[in-house]
Amino acid sequence: MKLKHLSPEMSSESKGQDDLSFKDSLEGDDQYSPPSRIRLEDEKESSTIFKEEANDQCIPYPRIHLEPQEKPNTNFKQFVMKKLQKSCQCSPTKAKNMIFDFLPVLRWLPKYQLKKNILGDVMSGLIVGILLVPQSIAYSLLAGQEPVYGLYTSFFASIIYFLFGTSRHISVGIFGVLCLMIGEVVDRELLKAGYDTAHIPPSSGMVSNESTLLNQESDRICDRSCYAITVGSTVTFMAGVYQVAMGFFQVGFVSVYLSDALLSGFVTGASFTILTSQAKYLLGLSLPRSNGVGSLITTWIHIFKNIHKTNLCDLITSLLCLLVLVPTKELNEHFKSKLKAPIPTELIVVVAATLASHFGKLNEKYSTSIAGHIPTGFLPPKAPDWNLIPNVAVDAIAISIIGFAITVSLSEMFAKKHGYAVKANQEMYAIGFCNIIPSFFHCFTTSAALAKTLVKESTGCQTQISGVVTALVLLLVLLVIAPLFYSLQKSVLGVITIVNLRGALCKFKDLPKMWKVSRMDTVIWFVTMLSSALISTEIGLLVGVCFSMFCVILRTQKPKSSLLGLVKESEIFESTSAYKNLWTKPGIKIFRFVAPLYYINKEYFKSALYKKTLNPVLVEAAQKKAAKKKIRKEIATLSRIQDEVSVQLSHDPLEFHTVVIDCSAVQFLDTAGINTLKEAFGSHRRYVGRGSGIMPADLTLCAKWTFRRKMREEIINCVNNPDARW
């Protein structure tokens, strides 16, 4: 709503155009702020208004009467029936579009340009597949599972995202933070079921060999490994259901509450927990995983208490792998623009370590912990344990939110970079089905992963065909190569996991730059990181979200406010506290409030307004005090005091008579905000009505309000009827 009543000339032509137009700004009391342009649309009228003499008197002007558009009354039943009819109508074209939207592969695969894209897709798919083999085995330990289940997870995720995904570049598979969260749930349920989490037997039970597996399935025997993957697949199933439900009900807006600073801090904090959980493998210690609040500190206490039990062979192997992996990772990063493909150092280290462990018989001589037997082929499908759903349903909520938030953000980031569009809703369906379907095939939760996505993009990926090539590499490993990793030491897998945390841990280098850009985001990052690391991952995420919302409220509780002045020889208004030599019209003050006006900041609004303009209450109190003083002095020298008072009043005129409130940055009002405006306006009117000699002060609202019809009508009625009671 824009009100124009600074001069009678303006009001006479108000039907055709508005005279003041306010735009949002971020200027503060003492800080530099980008230009917030309040422009006068009519140059002649603005020149007349702001170049008048200071001693001009206020001329009465006609009020503007605004009548809101009447919306047709729509029956709720009719509205629902209309929506249902529109949704339930079916035609061949609509059915075809629905199928193509649900399975995007049917839309883009027939248009695939073989000669143009096949080379890049095959190259990137091979490289990502080679990198995924050691990482899938390593992250299985983080999730509390046997190595083969990590390979299953990466294989099925690549195939299913190929069918349902809309992003051409992201790599969907195992993600370290989600593996950590899955592992915490698995260990907790193992303890409840009476299994020992400190000792993990090398691939016994369900995955010992195919014949034993079939016998155990027939006898319905489930050992520790079997129960661990049952818990993991049940959590994965529930996370997928949540993600598909969010896609169906289009509640992807939940991800907007996870800011970049929050997600970055969460991933960094979780990386410390991952590093802590893998430290025992580097030292060759057999320790139970600590769960709950303070698990990071508890784990390090257990490590130092058992440091004398360190396996020297595992420690030496870990140091050697670190000395190889860290420099080569840095070289890959430094020369990534010159290298056509990154050096697969992890695979080289895994092969070399496996050969050394096998021919050196390290397990027999030094009792090193090894991966054990990894069976070939696939296990029979198995439904999640429905009885476990009440135990893991809450845990799956945080896992599902983190999974789809990272997937959607990466999809949109790379789509924008390469000039194509992705559907966030379809991405939620895709990542949901990447969890629901594999949960029946002994898999755990997946999402997009930044590191592998960057590798995939840099090696020439063009379409989702790259994911199929990656799946074929993993299939070859599952069918033929997997048993060859029997002698691979778990310390090597732990080193691979820790080295892949470099990106998250290096975020500390970006903190000085983040601090200069936004101190609030830096504080959010620190709070989320510390709570995720020191408390727990789930609670840390919740703390980060709550603190981030609190910061938003805090910003609106005490927002920036300033008086505006006109830039000479222009039609632009700026903050008088930020710029010099601004011209202000005598008798008029323009006040800007850069925030919504609602119940939290209503008192601050009045305080800032009265501080920068005039506080009627204080003026009235000062007048009462002066009147009492005058009466006391009149008793002694009545005539002399009267002359002095008249002289004093004549030389102390009011500084201004009109207040213009720039509400261009006020996004919304609530009832408390409206009452605050009424109170401010009423205070000025009451003050003027007491015969103090001050000219009327108008409270002018120059903004388009978006609030309920009742509130709008009340404000318009009060503005159009100055004699109405507020």
Side-chain angles (χ1 to χ4, degrees):
M1 180 174 62
K2 296 181 182 179
L3 304 179
K4 304 169 291 184
H5 56 278
L6 292 181
S7 70
E9 293 83 7
M10 295 170 61
S11 60
S12 63
E13 298 181 13
S14 60
K15 293 183 180 180
Q17 59 186 355
D18 294 330
D19 300 281
L20 294 178
S21 175
F22 295 89
K23 296 185 179 180
D24 292 334
S25 70
L26 296 173
E27 63 232 20
D29 295 332
D30 300 315
Q31 297 179 358
Y32 168 80
S33 56
S36 63
R37 322 289 189 231
I38 301 179
R39 298 183 178 274
L40 301 178
E41 297 179 358
D42 192 283
E43 184 177 356
K44 294 181 180 180
E45 293 181 0
S46 63
S47 302
T48 303
I49 296 169
F50 291 99
K51 293 182 180 179
E52 291 177 347
E53 296 296 330
N55 55 359
D56 285 351
Q57 297 182 354
C58 258
I59 304 175
Y61 54 87
R63 298 285 179 173
I64 299 174
H65 296 273
L66 301 177
E67 295 184 5
Q69 293 285 350
E70 293 292 336
K71 294 184 179 180
N73 293 327
T74 304
N75 187 282
F76 180 74
K77 182 178 179 181
Q78 294 177 354
F79 175 78
V80 173
M81 292 300 297
K82 185 177 180 180
K83 288 290 184 181
L84 288 175
Q85 289 177 0
K86 184 178 179 181
S87 301
C88 296
Q89 288 177 351
C90 186
S91 64
T93 304
K94 187 174 181 180
K96 179 181 177 181
N97 290 334
M98 289 180 63
I99 295 173
F100 279 20
D101 289 340
F102 186 70
L103 289 171
V105 65
L106 300 178
R107 192 183 298 274
W108 62 264
L109 188 59
K111 303 176 183 178
Y112 184 78
Q113 300 179 10
L114 188 65
K115 294 183 179 179
K116 180 180 178 181
N117 299 328
I118 190 63
L119 182 61
D121 286 338
V122 171
M123 178 65 69
S124 62
L126 285 173
I127 294 172
V128 173
I130 292 172
L131 294 176
L132 267 178
V133 172
Q135 290 185 15
S136 299
I137 297 174
Y139 284 145
S140 298
L141 299 180
L142 186 60
Q145 308 295 338
E146 296 291 341
V148 68
Y149 299 132
L151 296 172
Y152 289 163
T153 301
S154 297
F155 170 77
F156 283 106
S158 300
I159 291 293
I160 295 171
Y161 189 81
F162 161 76
L163 299 174
F164 294 97
T166 59
S167 175
R168 305 172 190 172
H169 294 89
I170 68 169
S171 176
V172 176
I174 292 179
F175 182 52
V177 175
L178 297 183
C179 290
L180 172 68
M181 300 173 76
I182 290 288
E184 291 175 347
V185 178
V186 168
D187 282 351
R188 186 192 67 204
E189 294 302 318
L190 286 174
L191 287 174
K192 288 182 179 179
Y195 291 99
D196 182 15
T197 59
H199 176 66
I200 303 176
S203 300
S204 60
M206 277 194 68
V207 292
S208 58
N209 55 61
E210 192 170 352
S211 60
T212 305
L213 169 68
L214 296 177
N215 292 334
Q216 290 182 350
E217 286 291 327
S218 62
D219 296 335
R220 296 185 179 181
I221 298 174
C222 192
D223 64 353
R224 183 196 179 283
S225 173
C226 167
Y227 192 73
I229 191 57
T230 300
V231 175
S233 60
T234 305
V235 178
T236 300
F237 175 80
M238 288 305 302
V241 169
Y242 290 146
Q243 290 165 341
V244 171
M246 286 187 286
F248 180 78
F249 292 107
Q250 298 184 356
V251 291
F253 65 87
V254 176
S255 63
V256 304
Y257 296 105
L258 305 178
S259 63
D260 292 340
L262 187 149
L263 281 176
S264 177
F266 172 76
V267 171
T268 303
S271 298
F272 281 106
T273 308
I274 295 173
L275 187 151
T276 301
S277 67
Q278 299 300 296
K280 63 181 181 181
Y281 296 114
L282 274 64
L283 301 175
L285 300 175
S286 180
L287 300 174
R289 176 182 287 185
S290 299
N291 292 311
V293 177
S295 59
L296 182 140
I297 298 175
T298 306
T299 301
W300 282 110
I301 291 174
H302 289 162
I303 289 175
F304 284 113
K305 283 184 177 179
N306 295 273
I307 196 73
H308 60 281
K309 299 179 182 178
T310 300
N311 188 304
L312 292 179
C313 183
D314 281 331
L315 179 60
I316 294 173
T317 302
S318 301
L319 293 175
L320 291 175
C321 292
L322 283 172
L323 290 175
V324 174
L325 286 174
V326 173
T328 52
K329 285 278 186 180
E330 293 295 332
L331 290 174
N332 275 336
E333 182 69 22
H334 187 71
F335 296 103
K336 63 181 179 180
S337 59
K338 299 180 179 179
L339 294 173
K340 293 183 178 180
I343 303 172
T345 315
E346 293 170 341
L347 184 63
I348 297 172
V349 168
V350 166
V351 172
T354 303
L355 293 175
S357 177
H358 176 73
F359 291 105
K361 297 182 179 180
L362 301 182
N363 178 248
E364 291 82 358
K365 293 181 179 180
Y366 304 104
S367 300
T368 59
S369 179
I370 59 175
H373 179 71
I374 303 177
T376 57
F378 292 90
L379 300 176
K382 181 182 177 182
D385 189 346
W386 312 118
N387 296 324
L388 283 173
I389 289 179
N391 297 343
V392 302
V394 176
D395 301 287
I397 295 176
I399 294 173
S400 63
I401 292 176
I402 289 296
F404 93 77
I406 292 175
T407 301
V408 171
S409 60
L410 287 180
S411 300
E412 293 178 345
M413 180 176 71
F414 283 93
K416 183 178 180 180
K417 181 178 180 180
H418 292 275
Y420 63 93
V422 295
K423 297 180 180 179
N425 213 45
Q426 182 61 28
E427 287 298 301
M428 285 192 285
Y429 280 128
I431 198 64
F433 286 116
C434 282
N435 289 322
I436 291 177
I437 298 174
S439 67
F440 291 86
F441 295 92
H442 311 280
C443 300
F444 46 92
T445 313
T446 58
S447 73
L450 177 60
K452 292 185 283 291
T453 300
L454 290 173
V455 172
K456 189 174 181 179
E457 181 212 21
S458 62
T459 51
C461 174
Q462 300 295 325
T463 66
Q464 293 92 315
I465 290 290
S466 175
V468 178
V469 179
T470 299
L472 292 176
V473 174
L474 294 169
L475 181 63
L476 178 65
V477 174
L478 283 168
L479 296 179
V480 180
I481 304 175
L484 300 179
F485 295 111
Y486 176 87
S487 300
L488 178 62
Q489 293 173 258
K490 289 185 178 180
S491 59
V492 178
L493 301 177
V495 170
I496 292 174
T497 301
I498 291 174
V499 170
N500 280 296
L501 301 175
R502 288 169 48 259
L505 297 178
C506 287
K507 291 293 183 181
F508 285 96
K509 296 190 300 184
D510 299 332
L511 290 182
K513 182 179 180 181
M514 185 188 297
W515 179 260
K516 293 179 181 179
V517 174
S518 174
R519 296 183 179 183
M520 191 67 75
D521 282 347
T522 309
V523 174
I524 292 173
W525 188 92
F526 264 110
V527 170
T528 308
M529 184 271 295
L530 292 176
S531 57
S532 300
L534 300 179
I535 304 176
S536 69
T537 50
E538 295 86 354
I539 297 178
L541 177 62
L542 180 61
V543 170
V545 172
C546 294
F547 184 76
S548 181
M549 292 182 177
F550 172 75
C551 290
V552 173
I553 296 174
L554 188 65
R555 290 176 181 178
T556 60
Q557 186 176 2
K558 290 188 177 181
K560 303 295 192 310
S561 61
S562 61
L563 292 177
L564 304 182
L566 183 67
V567 180
K568 293 182 178 180
E569 299 181 356
S570 72
E571 300 174 354
I572 300 174
F573 285 80
E574 295 293 349
S575 171
T576 56
S577 61
Y579 299 96
K580 299 179 180 179
N581 302 323
L582 297 180
W583 185 80
T584 57
K585 175 172 172 49
I588 297 178
K589 287 192 176 183
I590 304 177
F591 174 75
R592 161 158 287 166
F593 190 73
V594 190
L597 181 55
Y598 63 123
Y599 69 98
I600 290 180
N601 60 13
K602 61 177 183 177
E603 295 298 330
Y604 182 79
F605 171 82
K606 290 192 297 183
S607 174
L609 176 64
Y610 293 157
K611 181 179 179 180
K612 295 181 181 297
T613 58
L614 179 68
N615 191 337
V617 178
L618 296 179
V619 173
E620 186 176 7
Q623 285 187 344
K624 289 182 179 179
K625 184 177 180 180
K628 292 180 180 179
K629 186 177 180 180
K630 174 183 175 181
I631 293 173
R632 289 195 301 266
K633 290 184 178 181
E634 281 180 349
I635 298 174
T637 53
L638 179 60
S639 59
R640 184 173 59 86
I641 294 300
Q642 286 178 343
D643 295 337
E644 290 179 358
V645 171
S646 61
V647 171
Q648 181 181 0
L649 291 176
S650 64
H651 289 284
D652 191 21
L654 190 65
E655 294 182 359
F656 65 95
H657 56 77
T658 302
V659 176
V660 179
I661 300 181
D662 172 21
C663 298
S664 59
V666 179
Q667 294 91 346
F668 64 87
L669 284 168
D670 66 354
T671 306
I674 294 176
N675 292 333
T676 302
L677 292 176
K678 291 161 58 178
E679 181 181 348
F681 184 71
S683 298
H684 282 278
R685 289 178 60 85
R686 287 194 302 271
Y687 172 65
V688 172
R690 292 183 182 272
S692 61
I694 298 179
M695 301 181 66
D698 294 332
L699 192 65
T700 307
L701 307 178
C702 300
K704 291 184 178 180
W705 301 107
T706 305
F707 53 92
R708 295 181 180 179
R709 181 184 302 175
K710 183 177 180 180
M711 299 179 183
R712 185 187 298 113
E713 290 176 351
E714 186 175 1
I715 288 291
I716 294 173
N717 179 62
C718 292
V719 173
N720 291 335
N721 298 280
D723 297 329
R725 183 177 180 181
W726 281 67

